[in-house]
């Protein structure tokens, strides 16, 4: 185990910033702590346990252009196409119109489509173990687990990213990482784990990528006392996270309770804003749209929100998830039943952001305690929600 | 059969890396979707057929001849057809698997992408990602009677499968096609219907919802006509596709006629985005219509939440 003195942190990050982008929790002028690109001299905010958003944005961009295309109108050919088009529109001689159409087709022949996949090296410093684990949990869907498709955009960024996690000294009342097989000092997904001790950090490399980082001169070997102190910090933190619900059998219970009216009751106060999906470190569902201006365009993917009624709305007007409780049920079932069934991984790392940021105080722990356990027979409700 | 199905691609249950994809470890990375499954192949429209007042069929050919030559798909598989600048939508590949000159998609004018497609001309460029999803288990059906029950543009989803069973006629027992549309004008693939009615080795019943000037054929809704036909379930596979309400009543009818869930198949459509099981859009419970479907047996559907 290594030791990094508190006053060497800036030097270490500065060192990293010389080789790659560094992202860290930074307090903005508005007082909000978010993961932001770090520059030398900026203070890293580790006293606030969780930045408002997870760090997923730096691997799965909130909005990402993945194709650029152009009905290429450059050069001589393009100029001619434009001229002839302008001129022929007013002519109604069929032969000339045909010629104009042929030219237009030629212009289309110059269609160029290029993938865009920028993945510069980056280090995300100061994320909590739950956020680091969030990436691991998403990896399976993007990594073609079980023979499905491999996503080159997510994986390029993922591979170019080094995660430096920091043990949670002071878990919040909304933390429930220990209920989902994690913990305040969980190492899953992290390349390096920092643990705050007196005067600095006890530091352990967990992967080859992590080893490389610790080769930096700012690190010294940790003293035995520091190692023991770090262990105590971890154990104390672990003990402070309450058990929220029982994971055992949750998949089967969710399956059995699929038509249970309890979903309706729990979803009543949801306003379908989708905040939980955006702040979540592993809600990954996305939309795809095209934007084009003057013959040049982009195909873009953006975070999406399965609570939005238009998420599943079909052109015909048919909506397979036409009630709020069905959409509500989908998110929780996705995380604890659908995803685990397909990818052998949970899709929740217990950060609790969805609890703290929900405007109507919906608590995932309550939802799972109720719907993820055996339900006694309840008479079906007669009313359907609006 | 082309081995383009993308489930359990020979690598067991592990995550892939760029190296795996490069080495072709996954079957999902084969063919036109190798490397970057989001990147459409540019294709040219070589023919457009007006099927009905609001349905056109587009025959498209990949500009890259090598891609065209290598194309192989199973009956029932789908593709994403799109226009750069507008977007992509999912359509069944309805040309025959043996057709090497083009891929055919039939498009009903309804939303943004389909309306834009209807504006295109021969020679225009489109983007195509295909094939996707799982086709019908036509090999497992060998020796069985096949009953197709389809309505409206549901015919597009079954056309490649009908072609396959007709091209391999000796492998199957009786083949029956029940096809209905609102009016005679709404019947797709009239050239196919003529062929079916001439052939002696298939039984085709064409119906329209209500009387129509000049129509001398059968009149009645598909589920009603099916009941009148009273097909026997013995050694028979029933495959249905059409508007949701038709499918609902057809499935009820089949159940009444003692067709089991294992004998009954349908193919679903859902709003889709990526088409490759990642974006999370088209799930019904733990299954994605794009990669686990669009073909499902009734037995599979019974396991899923009622979110059709």
């Amino acid at each position: 185990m290594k030791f990094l003195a508190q006053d060497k942190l800036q030097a270490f990050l500065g060192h990293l910033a010389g080789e790659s982008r560094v992202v860290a929790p930074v307090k903005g002028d508005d007082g909000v702590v978010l993961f932001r690109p770090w520059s030398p001299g900026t203070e890293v905010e580790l006293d606030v346990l969780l930045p408002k958003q997870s760090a997923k944005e730096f691997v799965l961009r909130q909005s990402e252009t993945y194709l650029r295309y152009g009905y290429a109108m450059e050069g001589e050919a393009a100029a001619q196409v434009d001229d002839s088009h302008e001129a022929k529109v007013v002519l109604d001689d069929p032969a000339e119109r045909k010629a104009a159409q042929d030219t237009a087709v030629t212009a289309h022949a110059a269609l160029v489509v290029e993938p865009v996949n920028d993945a510069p090296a980056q280090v995300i410093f100061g994320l909590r173990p739950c956020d680091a684990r969030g990436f691991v949990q998403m990896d399976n869907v993007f990594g073609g687990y079980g023979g499905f498709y491999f996503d080159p955009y997510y994986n390029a960024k993922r591979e170019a990213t080094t995660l430096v996690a920091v043990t949670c000294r002071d878990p919040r009342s909304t933390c429930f990482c220990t209920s989902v097989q994690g913990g305040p000092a969980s190492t899953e997904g992290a390349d390096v784990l920092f643990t705050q001790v007196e005067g600095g950090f006890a530091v352990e490399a967990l992967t080859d990528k992590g080893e490389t980082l610790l080769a930096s001169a700012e690190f010294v070997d940790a003293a035995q006392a520091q190692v023991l102190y770090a262990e105590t910090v971890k154990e104390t933190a672990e003990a402070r996270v309450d058990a929220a619900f029982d994971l055992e059998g949750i998949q089967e219970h969710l399956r059995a309770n699929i038509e249970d009216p309890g979903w309706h009751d729990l979803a009543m106060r949801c306003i379908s804003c989708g905040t939980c999906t955006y702040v979540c470190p592993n809600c990954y569902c996305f939309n795809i749209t095209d934007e084009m201006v003057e013959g040049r365009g982009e195909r873009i993917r953006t975070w999406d929100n399965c609570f939005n009624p238009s998420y599943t709305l079909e052109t015909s007007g048919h909506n397979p998830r036409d009630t709020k409780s069905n959409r509500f049920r989908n998110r929780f079932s996705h995380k604890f039943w659908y995803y685990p069934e397909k990818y052998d991984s949970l899709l929740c790392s217990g950060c609790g952001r969805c609890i703290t940021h929900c405007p109507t105080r919906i608590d995932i722990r309550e939802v799972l305690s109720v719907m993820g356990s055996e339900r006694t027979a309840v008479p079906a409700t007669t009313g359907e929600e609006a | 059969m082309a081995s383009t199905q993308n489930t359990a691609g020979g690598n067991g249950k592990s995550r892939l890396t760029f190296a795996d994809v490069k080495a072709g470890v996954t079957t999902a990375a084969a063919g036109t979707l190798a490397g970057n499954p989001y990147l459409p192949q540019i294709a040219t429209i070589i023919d457009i057929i007006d099927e009905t007042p609001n349905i056109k069929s587009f025959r498209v050919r990949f500009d890259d001849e090598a891609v065209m030559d290598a194309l192989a798909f199973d009956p029932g598989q789908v593709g994403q057809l799109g226009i750069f600048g507008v977007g992509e939508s999912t359509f069944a590949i309805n040309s025959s698997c043996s057709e090497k000159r083009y891929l055919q998609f039939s498009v009903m004018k309804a939303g943004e992408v389909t309306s834009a497609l209807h504006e295109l001309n021969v020679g225009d460029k489109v983007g195509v990602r295909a094939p996707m999803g799982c086709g019908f288990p036509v090999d497992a059906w060998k020796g069985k009677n096949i009953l197709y029950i389809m309505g409206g543009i549901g015919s597009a989803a079954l056309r490649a499968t009908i072609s396959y069973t007709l091209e391999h006629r000796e492998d199957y027992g009786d083949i029956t096609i029940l096809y209905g549309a609102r009016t005679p004008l709404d019947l797709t693939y009239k050239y196919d219907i003529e062929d079916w009615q001439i052939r002696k080795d298939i039984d085709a019943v064409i119906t329209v919802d209500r009387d129509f000037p000049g129509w001398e054929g059968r009149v009645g809704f598909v589920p009603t006509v099916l009941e009148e036909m009273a097909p026997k379930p013995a050694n028979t596979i029933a495959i249905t596709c059409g508007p949701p309400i038709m499918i609902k009543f057809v499935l009820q009818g089949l159940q009444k006629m003692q067709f089991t869930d294992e004998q009954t198949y349908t193919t679903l459509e859902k709003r889709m985005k990526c088409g490759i099981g990642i974006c999370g859009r088209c799930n019904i419970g733990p299954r994605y219509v794009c990669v686990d479907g669009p073909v499902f047996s009734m037995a599979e559907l019974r396991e899923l939440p009622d979110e059709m």
Side-chain angles (χ1 to χ4, degrees):
Chain A
M1 195 176 273
K2 298 278 185 182
F3 176 77
L4 180 73
Q6 183 70 45
D7 58 10
K8 294 273 172 58
L9 179 62
Q10 284 284 333
F12 168 57
L13 294 179
H15 189 83
L16 294 180
E19 286 157 13
S20 60
R21 174 164 76 165
V22 174
V23 172
V26 171
K27 190 178 271 180
D29 296 336
D30 52 3
V32 177
V33 179
L34 287 172
F35 286 101
R36 304 175 203 259
W38 177 91
S39 54
T42 312
E43 198 181 328
V44 176
E45 180 58 76
L46 290 177
D47 289 338
V48 170
L49 185 79
L50 290 169
K52 192 164 189 173
Q53 296 264 29
S54 81
K56 86 177 161 191
E57 145 78 7
F58 293 91
V59 173
L60 180 66
R61 306 304 314 267
Q62 184 168 1
S63 177
E64 172 176 29
T65 295
Y66 71 87
L67 292 181
R68 282 211 181 92
Y69 44 81
Y71 293 96
M73 295 294 179
E74 287 166 355
E76 289 179 8
Q80 281 170 4
V81 170
D82 274 348
D83 290 350
S84 60
H85 186 66
E86 292 276 328
K88 304 295 182 198
V89 167
V90 288
L91 292 174
D92 51 8
D93 174 9
E96 289 196 50
R97 202 189 303 130
K98 174 79 169 59
Q101 279 171 352
D102 288 347
T103 322
V105 169
T106 315
H108 281 189
L111 172 65
V112 177
V113 181
E114 283 172 351
V116 183
N117 195 0
D118 298 325
Q122 61 180 356
V123 175
I124 303 179
F125 176 84
L127 80 175
R128 300 298 173 180
C130 52
D131 280 357
R133 227 181 133 216
F135 288 113
V136 178
Q137 294 184 333
M138 278 193 294
D139 285 346
N140 283 353
V141 65
F142 290 100
Y145 184 80
F148 289 94
Y149 291 92
F150 181 81
D151 185 306
Y153 300 98
Y154 174 92
N155 286 294
K157 288 180 212 38
R158 182 79 172 94
E159 285 189 12
T161 303
T162 306
L163 300 177
V164 181
V166 179
T167 301
C168 309
R169 248 188 337 192
D170 195 11
R172 287 178 179 170
S173 62
T174 48
C175 290
F176 61 99
C177 52
T178 54
S179 299
V180 287
Q181 300 167 333
S186 159
T187 54
E188 196 184 352
D191 295 294
V192 180
L193 183 68
F194 275 49
T195 302
Q196 284 162 295
V197 297
E198 285 200 55
F201 304 89
V203 183
E204 47 204 305
L206 304 159
T207 63
D208 291 346
K209 267 188 198 171
E211 289 287 356
T212 316
L213 249 57
L214 302 198
S216 173
E218 290 86 9
F219 293 92
V220 295
D221 285 333
Q224 185 62 19
Q226 288 163 334
V227 174
L228 290 173
Y229 191 103
E231 287 312 310
T232 312
V233 169
K234 290 178 187 177
E235 281 165 22
T236 313
E238 181 98 18
R240 291 187 51 188
V241 182
D242 294 332
F245 51 83
D246 193 0
L247 209 53
E248 177 83 30
I250 204 162
Q251 215 170 308
E252 290 68 34
H253 293 312
L254 286 170
R255 184 195 295 274
N257 298 337
I258 187 87
E259 296 298 339
D260 192 284
W263 284 114
H264 171 265
D265 300 343
L266 286 162
M268 283 271 269
R269 65 181 194 267
C270 171
I271 57 169
S272 307
C273 66
T275 299
C276 51
T277 64
Y278 302 132
V279 299
C280 178
N282 42 31
C283 262
Y284 63 82
C285 295
F286 58 84
N287 192 12
I288 296 176
T289 47
D290 276 42
E291 283 182 16
M292 188 158 83
V293 178
E294 291 180 355
R296 305 211 145 269
E298 298 180 342
R299 189 158 286 169
I300 302 162
R301 73 173 176 193
T302 41
W303 292 354
D304 210 342
N305 156 28
C306 59
F307 285 81
N308 189 329
S310 69
Y311 185 80
T312 45
L313 181 65
E314 294 167 15
T315 310
S316 63
H318 175 66
N319 195 341
R321 285 198 285 271
D322 58 347
T323 61
K324 189 171 72 177
S325 65
N326 284 358
R327 297 187 284 271
F328 183 90
R329 180 181 73 189
N330 184 66
R331 180 167 186 265
F332 299 98
S333 300
H334 187 202
K335 290 185 172 300
F336 287 88
W337 163 19
Y338 307 160
Y339 195 83
E341 183 172 318
K342 226 171 167 54
Y343 300 106
D344 297 321
S345 163
L346 291 172
L347 197 59
C348 172
S349 55
C351 73
R353 282 189 185 87
C354 55
I355 306 168
T356 45
H357 296 300
C358 177
T360 63
R361 297 286 167 109
I362 290 166
D363 190 327
I364 188 171
R365 295 169 298 183
E366 183 198 352
V367 174
L368 292 166
S369 303
V370 175
M371 303 313 299
S373 60
E374 198 170 333
R375 300 276 284 162
T376 45
V378 194
T381 52
T382 46
E384 212 13 42
E385 77 229 56
Chain B
M1 293 294 302
S3 59
T4 44
Q5 295 191 358
N6 49 42
T7 45
N11 65 329
K13 283 249 186 175
S14 64
R15 217 160 66 218
L16 305 173
T17 64
F18 280 97
D20 294 328
V21 173
K22 215 170 169 184
V25 166
T26 166
T27 53
T32 58
L33 300 173
N36 186 347
Y38 293 93
L39 179 64
Q41 290 287 335
I42 297 176
T44 304
I45 298 174
I46 61 164
D47 200 3
I48 300 174
I49 300 158
D50 287 312
E51 301 286 356
T52 77
N54 67 347
I55 298 170
K56 287 183 182 184
S57 290
F58 295 87
R59 292 182 172 172
V60 305
R61 200 179 154 77
F62 291 120
D63 285 9
D64 186 336
E65 289 298 325
V67 172
M68 198 67 221
D69 288 345
L71 184 80
F73 63 96
D74 298 337
Q77 281 196 293
V78 299
Q80 290 258 350
L81 175 62
I83 306 179
F84 295 100
V86 183
E88 297 178 301
S89 291
T90 312
F91 303 95
I93 305 171
N94 69 61
S95 41
S96 165
C97 304
S98 62
E99 178 55 72
K100 296 297 174 197
R101 292 166 299 172
Y102 56 83
L103 282 178
Q104 179 171 304
F105 300 98
S106 296
V107 178
M108 184 193 277
K109 188 175 174 178
E112 214 177 321
V113 174
T114 54
S115 298
L117 284 167
H118 270 241
E119 297 298 315
L120 298 184
N121 297 307
V122 169
D124 283 343
K125 299 291 179 187
V126 289
V128 175
R129 293 189 291 140
M132 293 172 149
C134 298
F136 287 101
V138 283
D139 284 340
W141 294 344
K142 279 184 183 165
K144 295 184 190 296
N145 305 318
I146 309 287
L147 167 63
Y148 296 100
I149 307 155
M150 34 193 217
I153 196 170
S155 56
L158 303 188
R159 184 168 184 257
T161 312
I162 294 176
S163 300
Y164 185 89
T165 49
L166 292 182
E167 284 168 23
H168 299 80
R169 187 67 193 84
E170 66 288 357
D171 289 341
Y172 300 92
D174 294 341
I175 293 181
T176 309
I177 301 169
L178 166 57
Y179 179 40
R182 270 181 307 170
T183 73
L185 300 179
D186 296 304
L187 290 166
T188 56
Y189 316 125
K190 296 186 181 73
Y191 38 96
D192 285 353
I193 294 174
E194 282 170 23
D195 179 44
W196 301 338
Q197 287 175 331
I198 293 166
R199 287 179 75 136
K200 298 275 176 256
D201 58 351
I202 53 174
D203 186 13
V205 178
I206 312 299
T207 179
V208 298
D209 288 356
R210 57 187 72 86
D211 287 324
F212 194 85
W215 176 256
E216 288 168 4
R218 197 143 178 173
V219 174
F221 292 111
V222 168
T224 317
V225 175
L226 177 68
E227 211 162 316
E228 290 162 11
M229 288 165 67
K232 299 273 176 295
N235 196 36
T236 300
I237 297 291
I239 308 138
T240 185
C241 188
I245 190 73
M246 184 209 90
I247 295 185
K248 186 180 165 190
F249 286 111
V250 165
L251 293 175
Q252 283 176 8
L254 288 170
Q255 205 177 7
K256 237 194 299 183
M257 292 174 226
Q258 312 294 322
F259 278 79
T260 66
D261 288 351
E262 288 73 21
Q263 280 173 288
T264 311
Y265 284 80
T266 186
T267 169
L268 299 176
E269 59 174 5
K270 277 270 172 292
R271 190 168 187 183
M272 290 181 191
K273 287 292 173 181
C274 74
I276 50 174
I278 298 178
C279 78
R281 177 77 54 151
C282 66
N283 76 304
I284 306 175
R287 311 292 291 273
Y288 287 113
V289 174
C290 66
V291 288
D292 298 315
V295 166
F296 291 97
S297 72
M298 207 44 219
E300 292 172 294
L301 290 184
R302 292 235 192 265
E303 295 292 309
L304 302 178
D306 186 16
E307 293 177 357
M308 312 302 160

